[in-house]
Structures are given as structure tokens and as C-alpha cells.
């Protein structure tokens, strides 16, 4: 059982959780994720770790309510607990001295890009961050990203804050001087970034959010097409060379359980209170 | 000994029949197929034992269960005594009684089989363990006085659990680390409910807890903690690596990233560990098999488990596709028989060459080629070779690949002084299971590659013996060169 020691709403539907997980906190590196299971009938889902505090023994996750598990998670707060948290999984981000780095965070991907941005800055790189959101109140972690980078540009779809347009619009302005690009966010965004940097052969890395079960390489459900090979996002990734990724296969495979996911979410919306009680019940028995 | 029946007469007693759920009923549910012996049948079956002076059954058991002795206890109606006799050598009788390939081991060498059918040793082992569960009592051997030594076991599958039982019995403090949220390894993620109910695994884990074994879930050794940290700051005197067979192998044919293509590991993990057969009461989904055509590729127990699972999930046609013939299938005979009774269609000497999909990326069929058996290969088995021009398509919207696994690298990659084979399995001395790294032992599928539950348990026993010797002598003779 993993107690939630702090929970903060960052934006509508986006919540930050600080969770007691001392073993994981000691080991976590930027780019890694955990697999969580919320209660005894729960599914296992991967969530990338935003940060950790080894002294306090906590890790921090940022969760956007999309499916049933993430929506249920966002009903929880301080004093609640998550039944299972396993990690840190996946390979850490490869941090090198590249020179000028552009770190792009789309939506909740910003939370995942943040620790890598900090690590790139600490390694002596010049870090420019581009944050994208649909609208101003969905933008998260701007202040922390400013601390982790040298300059920050914000792009909103509706122009309510920062520049109006897509993150790739800003990227095209900066591309001339970029030595390295990291993009984490919705798949269409990552694909667009990959296409923008491909002609100039700028090293570009993306973090893939494929469907996982165990997260340790055992099931192969998270396989992605990288170049001419099949790779497992959980153990070979989750970060890959964006120019090698077949984003079409990723989107197709991520749609595999769409009907089931919608069925679960619809049921959840009608039984919110019971589901929260189930989480509390499961953890009370541990 | 209370068996007063002359040997000649014993040989004439018929093997007692294992009651099972009717095939047409069970092919639609996940209830356990075999129902178990009643006490009367167990006693009659035990009376068939010839009580040989040098029992071949014990000799051919990978963990050396004292079969003659536990059968004698059954005849005396001392069922808990029988359980304690088994547990001296076998930490998991309720499990091995269900999943061991007895026909190749104890029962295969039974002398009764020369004239009649062999004694049903597996069914009797199961009977004894089920008696414990029904009565809430357990028969366990005593632990030796505490040695104050600490042993970490990596993985709670059959090798890990078996070693844990022996090591607490030797008086050591034992903690088992499991990567998943539930204990049992392949026993809970791999073997389906209808063959090994999860309650049975929980029962055996609880017995180990009562014997003093500690467990910690959600710890991925190699990620959450390293072997060096276990031996260092966590203060363990020895580590047994029993992480099992890991990464699933695929076919290497076009179309493997289509939706509807699963590894057996994924399909079975979703259904067994995550209980997807009870979706939406449980959240984890699995492909909806109802009314669909399903192809399972492979000839081992995992393939049998997968195809019988798909059938139970409502598959209209469930095909088992195997490149060799039925005789060559490595699966247990009982599984093959049960599968056929449940309407699984066997397509032997058939090999997939391409997975075909629609424009949305969903599987629609499996292109196969017919095979024939050619010259024997390096392993002595006749090699299947394709028959030219024999390609055909099996319509299917789900294909499950059960053609084996390769080594999971998580422990090896974070333990640099652990010597591995070319295929990244851990090298261990075959007798003591010592690795190239002092204090570290390894056994089960992570050393041998995919094998059986009982062979892994045998490795667990050997490891416990090797660890016990090391903890008392401190000696580390080099048998695997680092």
C-alpha cells in the first residue's frame, strides 16, 4: 500500500500526487515510470514519474483524468492510498552534453519532460522549453519549467496565453540552432515534431505511451515499431529516436481496447462513490 | 504398514477414475476441470502401490518426494501426516499434484504400469493437499533452530517458493521479492484458473508464511533494488535469483504488430493475473473472443492453456497450429486430451508465414504453410520443413503466439559480475546452483530456459541445499568462472 501524502489540482482534470514509495524514490531517474494498480479489481497502468524525494521517500506523479483508472485516481487525495506501485521502470533518459536543447511538453507531457529538462540543464546544455496547451487554464507547471530551463515559450491553441498555434510552429522558429529535441505529449504532437526535425537530422527523442500490463518485458503488449524492429516500450524505452518510430502503429495499437475503455469510464461516471469506497476498502485491508 | 493385500492382487486393482466437469459445460467456464478424489478412492488408489524396496517413483521425481511413505499414510487415513511427508521434499503439493507431467516422472516409472495403469500419484498428492484446505489444518515439518542468516529470493514462482520452504526449514530468515502485485509468478499469471485455481496458490503461499517466509510484492530486482544492494546495505547473506523465463518470442513473420496479435504471456496475464475473464467487474480488458475465430501457435502447455482459455472466453473456432505432429507436442497428455474434448481443433504440421490485417490494422487471418517432418536435427527431433505450394489462410481475428520465451535481462544487466550465456541466461553450477558472483545463486527458467513447474521446483531445492552449505561453510569454490 502506497499512501498519498499530498495532492494538488494543477488544472481541470490534472492532479499532482506525492506518494510514499521509499524504494522507488531512492532509485528514480528522469524518464522512468511506475506501474500502478489502484484497487483489487484494478488494471495496471503506466505513469511516468515527475520527480522524487529520496530523503522523504516520496515520488510525484501528474495524472490527467482520461480513462477509468486515471479518473478514479483524480478522485483521491491526501490520506488515501494506492494499492500497488511498482518501479522505477524503463530506461532513464540519455543525458549528454548536446549543446542547445529544445524540450517540448504537450499537455500533461510537460510533467514528464520536466525532470529531463532539469537534467539536461544540469549537464551544461542550454535548454529552451516550449509548452503547449489547448487553452491557458490547461497549462501546467510553467513556473517549475522556467526554473529547469533557460527560456520558455508557451503556445496555446486559442491564443489565450503565450503565442497562438502549435508547439511545432514555435519549434520551426528555433530549429536552426537546435542540437537536440525532446518531445513528450500527445502522439500527433510527437509525430509532428519528428517530421519537423527530420529534414535537418536533428537528434529527436520522444517518450511513448503504449499500453502495458506488467511493465517488465514479460508480456510484449507494449511493442512498438522502431525502424525495422519491434521493441518493447517498457524495457527498451519508453524514450526512442523519434525518426525511427512508426507513430501509425503506435496509434493503431493504442486504440486496441477503446470500446472496453469507454464502457469502463461510462460505468465509473455512474458509480463514482462506490469506486472510491473500493479503493479505500482495498487499502484498509493491507 | 497396513496394506495387507498381496502384490499380485494389488496389480489387479483398477486405477481410480478422476472425476471431472463434463467437457461441454467446462468449455464455457473457468471452473477447475478435475474435481479431485474422495477419501475412499484415494485409499483404494494408495492400496495399489507395491511399496517397492527401491522406489522408482521417488528416483524419477525432480524433488524426490517419498511417494511410498505418503501413500502409506493415506492408507492409515493420516492425511495430514501424508502432507507433512510430501512437504519435507515439496513445498507446493497442491500445485504439483495438479500441474506436474507425472506420466514422464513418478508415474512413468511406476512398476504397476508394467501390468496395469500406474498408481495415480499426482491425483493422490492433490487429494492430500485438498484435504488440508477443506479442513483448514496443515501438515508441516518443523524448522531447524534459527541460524540468524538472511536469504533473499528474487521471484515468487515455483523455484523461489520451493527454495523458500527448504531454507526456512534449515532455520534461515527468508524474504521473497516479487515484481508483480500478486505472489506465485507463472502459477498466477501463466497457468489458468481451470487448471490451477488461484486459491490453491494462495493456500500454498499462506502455508509458507506460516512456516516463517516473508514476502514483498512490487519489487523489481534490478530496478527497484539491485542484487548488490541486497547483499550490501540490506544485509542478506545470500541471494537466489529465480526470475523465470521472461521476454516472449514472436514468430518473426509480417503483421505481428496488428491489433489482435498477442503473446501467450500477455493473453494469459490479462486473463489470469488481471482476471480479464471477469471484465467489466475487473478493469483489465482482453480481446473480446465471443463468436470469433482464434488461432494459437505452439505445441507446449502454454499453447494449450491459451487455446483452452480462448475457448472459454467464447471463441467460435479455436485452432491449435503446430509445426510438428501431435506426437512431438511437448504438452502434457492430459491437457491435449482435455483440449480435444473441449472442441479445440488441432492443425498439426502447419506453420504461420504471415499475419494478414485490414486497413485499420486489425488481424483478419493467418497465412499458413503445411509442413512435413524431415531429417532429425541437432536435438534428435525430426525437423519440420515446409511443403512447397501448400499455403492457405485460416480466417481469424485473434492470434496468440506461444512459441517460447527468452531471458529477461533485468537482473543480469544490473549485476555486471554475474556471468551469463550467449542467450543471456544466468550461468550456474548444475549441482550447487552457484553463479560466478559470491553469495548469488540462480535456478529455474532463468538458468535453463522455459521448462516445467516441477523442474523449477527441483532447482529451488538444489539452490536451498547449495545456499545452506555456503551459509555454514562460507566457502565459494569457483565452478562458474567470472
Amino acid at each position: 500500500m502506497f499512501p498519498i501524502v499530498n495532492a494538488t489540482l494543477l488544472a481541470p482534470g490534472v492532479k499532482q500526487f506525492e506518494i510514499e514509495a521509499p524504494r522507488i524514490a531512492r532509485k528514480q531517474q528522469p524518464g522512468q515510470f511506475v506501474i500502478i494498480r489502484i484497487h483489487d479489481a484494478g488494471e495496471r497502468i503506466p505513469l511516468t514519474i515527475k520527480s522524487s524525494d529520496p530523503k522523504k521517500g516520496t515520488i510525484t506523479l501528474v495524472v490527467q483524468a482520461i480513462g477509468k483508472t486515471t479518473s478514479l485516481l483524480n478522485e483521491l487525495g491526501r490520506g488515501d492510498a494506492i494499492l500497488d506501485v511498482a518501479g522505477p521502470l524503463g530506461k532513464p533518459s540519455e543525458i549528454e552534453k548536446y549543446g542547445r536543447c529544445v524540450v517540448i511538453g504537450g499537455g500533461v507531457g510537460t510533467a514528464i519532460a520536466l525532470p529531463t529538462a532539469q537534467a539536461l540543464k544540469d549537464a551544461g546544455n542550454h535548454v529552451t522549453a516550449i509548452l503547449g496547451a489547448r487553452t491557458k487554464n490547461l497549462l501546467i507547471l510553467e513556473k517549475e519549467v522556467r526554473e529547469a530551463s533557460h527560456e520558455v515559450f508557451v503556445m496555446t491553441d486559442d491564443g489565450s496565453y503565450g503565442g497562438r498555434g502549435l508547439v511545432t510552429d514555435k519549434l520551426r522558429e528555433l530549429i536552426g540552432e537546435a542540437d537536440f529535441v525532446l518531445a513528450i505529449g500527445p502522439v500527433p504532437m510527437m509525430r509532428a515534431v519528428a517530421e519537423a526535425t527530420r529534414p535537418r537530422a536533428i537528434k529527436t527523442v520522444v517518450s511513448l505511451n503504449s499500453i502495458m500490463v506488467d511493465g517488465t518485458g514479460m508480456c510484449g503488449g507494449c511493442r512498438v515499431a522502431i525502424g525495422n524492429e519491434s521493441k518493447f516500450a517498457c524495457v527498451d524505452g519508453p524514450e526512442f529516436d523519434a525518426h525511427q518510430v512508426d507513430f501509425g502503429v503506435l496509434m493503431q495499437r493504442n486504440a486496441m481496447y477503446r470500446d472496453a475503455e469507454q464502457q469502463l469510464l461510462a460505468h465509473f461516471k455512474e458509480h463514482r462513490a462506490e469506486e472510491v469506497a473500493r479503493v479505500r476498502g482495498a487499502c484498509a485491508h493491507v | 504398514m497396513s496394506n495387507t493385500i498381496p502384490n499380485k492382487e494389488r496389480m489387479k486393482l483398477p486405477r481410480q477414475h478422476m472425476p471431472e466437469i463434463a467437457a461441454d459445460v467446462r468449455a464455457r467456464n473457468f471452473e477447475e476441470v478435475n474435481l479431485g478424489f474422495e477419501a475412499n478412492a484415494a485409499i483404494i488408489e494408495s492400496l495399489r502401490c507395491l511399496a517397492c524396496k527401491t522406489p522408482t517413483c521417488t528416483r524419477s521425481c525432480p524433488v524426490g518426494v517419498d511417494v511410498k511413505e505418503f501413500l502409506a499414510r493415506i492408507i492409515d487415513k493420516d492425511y495430514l501426516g501424508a502432507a507433512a511427508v510430501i512437504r519435507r521434499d515439496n513445498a507446493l503439493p497442491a500445485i504439483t499434484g495438479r500441474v506436474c507431467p507425472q506420466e514422464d516422472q513418478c508415474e512413468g516409472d511406476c512398476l504397476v504400469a508394467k501390468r496395469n495403469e500406474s498408481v495415480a500419484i499426482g491425483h493422490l498428492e492433490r487429494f492430500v493437499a485438498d484435504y488440508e484446505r477443506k479442513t483448514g489444518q496443515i501438515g508441516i515439518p518443523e524448522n531447524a533452530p534459527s541460524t540468524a542468516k538472511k536469504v533473499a529470493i528474487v521471484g515468487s514462482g515455483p523455484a523461489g517458493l520451493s527454495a523458500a520452504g527448504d531454507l526456512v526449514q534449515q532455520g534461515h530468515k527468508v524474504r521473497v521479492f516479487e515484481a508483480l502485485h500478486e505472489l506465485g509468478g507463472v502459477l498466477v499469471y501463466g497457468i489458468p484458473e481451470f487448471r490451477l485455481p488461484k486459491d490453491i496458490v494462495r493456500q500454498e503461499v499462506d502455508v509458507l508464511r506460516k512456516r516463517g517466509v516473508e514476502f514483498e510484492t512490487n519489487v523489481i530486482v534490478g530496478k527497484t533494488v539491485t542484487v548488490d544492494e541486497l547483499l550490501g546495505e540490506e544485509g542478506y547473506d545470500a541471494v537466489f535469483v529465480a526470475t523465470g523465463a521472461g521476454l516472449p518470442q514472436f514468430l518473426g513473420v509480417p503483421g505481428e504488430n496488428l491489433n489482435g496479435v498477442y503473446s501467450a504471456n500477455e493473453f494469459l496475464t490479462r486473463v489470469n493475473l488481471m482476471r480479464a475473464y471477469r471484465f467489466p467487474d475487473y478493469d483489465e480488458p482482453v480481446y473480446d473472443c465471443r463468436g470469433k475465430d482464434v488461432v494459437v501457435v505452439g505445441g507446449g502447455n502454454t499453447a494449450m492453456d491459451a487455446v483452452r482459455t480462448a475457448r472459454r472466453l467464447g471463441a467460435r473456432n479455436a485452432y491449435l497450429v503446430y509445426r510438428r505432429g501431435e506426437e512431438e507436442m511437448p504438452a502434457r497428455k492430459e491437457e491435449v486430451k482435455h483440449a480435444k474434448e473441449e472442441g479445440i481443433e488441432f492443425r498439426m504440421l502447419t506453420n504461420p508465414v504471415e499475419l494478414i490485417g485490414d486497413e485499420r490494422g486489425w488481424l483478419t487471418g493467418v497465412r499458413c504453410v503445411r509442413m512435413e517432418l524431415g531429417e532429425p536435427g541437432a536435438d534428435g527431433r525430426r525437423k519440420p520443413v515446409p511443403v512447397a505450394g501448400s499455403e492457405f489462410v485460416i480466417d481469424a481475428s485473434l492470434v496468440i503466439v506461444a512459441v517460447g520465451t527468452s531471458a529477461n535481462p533485468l537482473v543480469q544487466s544490473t549485476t555486471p559480475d554475474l556471468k551469463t550465456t550467449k542467450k543471456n541466461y544466468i550461468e550456474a553450477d548444475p549441482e550447487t546452483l552457484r553463479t560466478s558472483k559470491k553469495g548469488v545463486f540462480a535456478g529455474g527458467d532463468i538458468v535453463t530456459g522455459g521448462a516445467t513447474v516441477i523442474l523449477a521446483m527441483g532447482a529451488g531445492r538444489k539452490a536451498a541445499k547449495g545456499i545452506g552449505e555456503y551459509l555454514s561453510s562460507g566457502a565459494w569454490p569457483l565452478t562458474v568462472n567470472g
Side-chain angles (χ1 to χ4, degrees):
Chain A
M1 191 185 77
F2 298 81
I4 298 169
V5 298
N6 248 317
T8 326
L9 201 62
L10 298 183
V14 181
K15 210 166 185 178
Q16 173 167 298
F17 295 93
E18 190 180 354
I19 297 161
E20 214 174 285
R23 281 190 185 278
I24 303 171
R26 276 200 294 273
K27 279 294 163 84
Q28 182 261 341
Q29 290 174 267
Q32 291 188 297
F33 64 94
V34 287
I35 294 267
I36 68 142
R37 192 177 72 127
I38 198 160
H39 60 46
D40 53 356
E43 59 183 340
R44 291 170 66 95
I45 62 158
L47 292 170
T48 306
I49 307 165
K50 180 198 153 203
S51 59
S52 57
D53 184 339
K55 277 202 193 113
K56 219 171 143 191
T58 61
I59 59 169
T60 299
L61 306 174
V62 173
V63 182
Q64 182 174 21
I66 298 173
K68 180 205 166 160
T69 300
T70 47
S71 299
L72 175 53
L73 198 49
N74 278 16
E75 297 285 318
L76 305 181
R78 187 186 176 138
D80 289 321
I82 299 171
L83 190 57
D84 298 292
V85 181
L89 295 162
K91 288 187 177 161
S93 307
E94 278 177 34
I95 305 299
E96 281 174 39
K97 190 151 181 213
Y98 297 105
R100 296 186 80 87
C101 299
V102 178
V103 175
I104 304 172
V108 77
T110 300
I112 306 166
L114 177 66
T116 308
Q118 182 70 58
L120 287 168
K121 188 183 176 193
D122 294 345
N125 291 288
H126 182 276
V127 176
T128 303
I130 308 174
L131 303 184
R134 259 199 344 266
T135 184
K136 184 183 175 183
N137 72 345
L138 290 176
L139 186 72
I140 58 168
L141 302 170
E142 185 190 350
K143 185 169 156 275
E144 290 181 60
V145 172
R146 286 197 185 280
E147 284 162 17
S149 51
H150 296 91
E151 54 182 340
V152 178
F153 298 96
V154 175
M155 300 296 285
T156 49
D157 294 3
D158 59 3
S160 54
Y161 186 62
R164 181 190 185 122
L166 302 174
V167 289
T168 37
D169 297 334
K170 179 55 74 181
L171 174 63
R172 283 196 192 89
E173 292 171 25
L174 306 169
I175 208 161
E177 49 194 62
D179 300 305
F180 173 83
V181 175
L182 170 73
I184 304 178
V187 179
M189 182 206 93
M190 294 194 286
R191 171 147 75 178
V193 169
E195 291 319 313
T197 58
R198 191 191 305 274
R200 291 167 182 267
I202 300 166
K203 181 169 180 174
T204 303
V205 169
V206 288
S207 178
L208 304 187
N209 57 333
S210 46
I211 295 171
M212 295 184 187
V213 185
D214 63 290
T216 65
M218 189 190 79
C219 85
C222 65
R223 62 193 184 277
V224 286
I226 307 293
N228 294 321
E229 283 181 275
S230 245
K231 296 272 186 188
F232 293 174
C234 66
V235 287
D236 300 319
E239 295 185 0
F240 291 99
D241 177 348
H243 298 148
Q244 298 290 316
V245 174
D246 186 330
F247 289 99
V249 168
L250 178 65
M251 279 197 266
Q252 163 221 311
R253 290 188 60 81
N254 278 357
M256 174 122 184
Y257 299 102
R258 192 151 290 162
D259 292 347
E261 287 161 4
Q262 279 164 2
Q263 187 186 341
L264 279 180
L265 188 59
H267 182 269
F268 166 73
K269 283 178 175 165
E270 282 169 24
H271 301 86
R272 218 171 273 262
E274 291 153 53
E275 287 286 341
V276 172
R278 179 155 205 171
V279 176
R280 292 181 180 145
C283 289
H285 285 109
V286 176
Chain B
M1 284 294 295
S2 51
N3 193 351
T4 53
I5 304 171
N7 275 3
K8 252 188 167 172
E9 298 301 313
R10 293 184 206 180
M11 293 286 264
K12 288 182 189 157
L13 290 170
R15 179 170 161 130
Q16 296 297 295
H17 177 69
M18 168 60 88
E20 52 189 44
I21 306 179
D24 56 333
V25 175
R26 70 181 193 241
R28 294 285 172 239
N29 69 35
F30 278 81
E31 303 292 314
E32 191 176 12
V33 172
N34 286 342
L35 296 168
F37 276 162
E38 295 295 332
N40 209 27
I43 293 170
I44 297 172
E45 188 61 34
S46 300
L47 288 169
R48 299 180 66 226
C49 173
L50 301 176
C52 308
K53 276 213 177 71
T54 48
T56 48
C57 47
T58 298
R59 204 182 56 203
S60 38
C61 172
V63 297
V65 166
D66 191 346
V67 175
K68 178 168 85 171
E69 179 64 22
F70 99 76
L71 265 50
R73 300 287 172 103
I74 293 177
I75 295 168
D76 292 341
K77 299 185 182 169
D78 175 14
Y79 308 128
L80 293 178
V85 168
I86 299 172
R87 275 212 182 78
R88 289 200 303 243
D89 304 292
N90 172 358
L92 313 168
I95 294 166
T96 50
R98 288 171 162 83
V99 303
C100 260
Q102 287 97 4
E103 70 264 24
D104 301 328
Q105 297 167 3
C106 54
E107 296 181 21
D109 284 337
C110 176
L111 282 191
V112 178
K114 290 202 186 297
R115 292 276 182 80
N116 196 335
E117 285 180 274
S118 64
V119 176
I121 300 167
H123 295 341
L124 289 169
E125 184 173 58
R126 175 196 155 137
F127 164 77
V128 165
D130 286 358
Y131 176 85
E132 293 181 300
R133 188 163 42 106
K134 282 178 195 150
T135 60
Q137 299 164 285
I138 46 171
I140 51 175
E142 264 181 57
N143 290 347
S146 169
T147 61
K149 300 278 187 187
K150 279 172 68 179
V151 182
I153 294 176
V154 185
S156 68
L161 294 181
S162 169
D166 280 5
L167 286 162
V168 281
Q169 205 170 316
Q170 291 175 22
H172 310 302
K173 200 167 152 51
V174 177
R175 192 172 182 86
V176 179
F177 295 97
E178 167 56 47
L180 294 169
H181 58 264
E182 193 167 331
L183 297 165
V186 72
L187 306 172
V188 297
Y189 77 72
I191 303 178
E193 186 74 15
F194 57 82
R195 204 148 75 78
L196 178 64
K198 301 296 157 281
D199 278 349
I200 303 292
V201 181
R202 254 191 304 268
Q203 172 199 349
E204 294 290 17
V205 168
D206 284 343
V207 171
L208 284 168
R209 251 194 210 108
K210 290 198 179 98
R211 293 172 70 184
V213 179
E214 293 174 5
F215 293 93
E216 187 173 345
T217 52
N218 295 317
V219 176
I220 304 114
V221 173
K223 288 286 183 183
T224 316
V225 64
T226 62
V227 169
D228 283 318
E229 287 163 341
L230 290 173
L231 289 169
E233 54 251 47
E234 302 224 2
Y236 288 95
D237 299 290
V239 175
F240 176 44
V241 180
T243 47
L247 312 179
Q249 283 174 354
F250 286 88
L251 296 165
V253 303
E256 286 191 316
N257 287 329
L258 290 167
N259 290 358
V261 181
Y262 281 92
S263 72
N265 270 7
E266 180 184 5
F267 184 72
L268 291 171
T269 299
R270 284 179 178 274
V271 177
N272 301 332
L273 176 74
M274 304 310 295
R275 319 293 198 267
Y277 68 101
R278 294 175 62 186
F279 181 90
D281 293 337
Y282 282 73
D283 291 345
E284 194 82 55
V286 71
Y287 185 83
D288 188 349
C289 296
R290 286 174 295 181
K292 305 287 178 47
D293 298 331
V294 178
V295 168
V296 174
V297 184
N301 287 321
T302 308
M304 290 297 149
D305 286 344
V307 76
R308 295 175 68 200
T309 296
R311 181 77 174 153
R312 282 164 172 75
L313 290 172
R316 181 175 59 180
N317 293 303
Y319 304 97
L320 186 89
V321 166
Y322 182 51
R323 63 194 179 124
R324 300 177 198 253
E326 193 177 322
E327 284 301 300
E328 287 79 25
M329 286 199 333
R332 283 177 86 215
K333 296 285 170 283
E334 188 183 35
E335 311 311 324
V336 174
K337 171 178 161 279
H338 281 161
K340 286 189 165 171
E341 289 168 0
E342 290 161 15
I344 307 302
E345 295 176 50
F346 282 51
R347 295 284 182 270
M348 299 293 101
L349 292 165
T350 301
N351 204 30
V353 291
E354 186 192 354
L355 305 176
I356 308 162
D358 63 19
E359 68 288 348
R360 288 165 50 247
W362 288 77
L363 183 83
T364 57
V366 182
R367 189 184 306 283
C368 296
V369 63
R370 298 203 195 283
M371 310 291 278
E372 57 189 7
L373 291 180
E375 297 297 309
D379 59 356
R381 298 162 81 197
R382 290 176 66 192
K383 266 180 96 104
V385 287
V387 178
S390 67
E391 287 191 9
F392 65 103
V393 173
I394 304 177
D395 290 338
S397 49
L398 177 66
V399 66
I400 302 163
V401 181
V403 296
T405 54
S406 56
N408 190 313
L410 290 179
V411 168
Q412 298 89 307
S413 63
T414 51
T415 318
D417 39 356
L418 202 57
K419 200 177 175 203
T420 56
T421 65
K422 274 196 192 115
K423 290 184 167 174
N424 206 24
Y425 290 102
I426 299 175
E427 284 196 32
D429 177 89
E431 282 315 307
T432 62
L433 298 193
R434 282 193 203 106
T435 66
S436 59
K437 184 177 173 67
K438 190 176 179 189
V440 180
F441 298 74
D445 284 4
I446 194 59
V447 171
T448 58
T452 61
V453 166
I454 190 65
L455 287 174
M457 288 177 60
R461 290 219 80 189
K462 273 188 186 174
K465 190 161 171 277
I467 291 168
E469 283 163 8
Y470 165 66
L471 293 179
S472 61
S473 72
W476 196 265
L478 275 185
T479 45
V480 175
N481 297 319

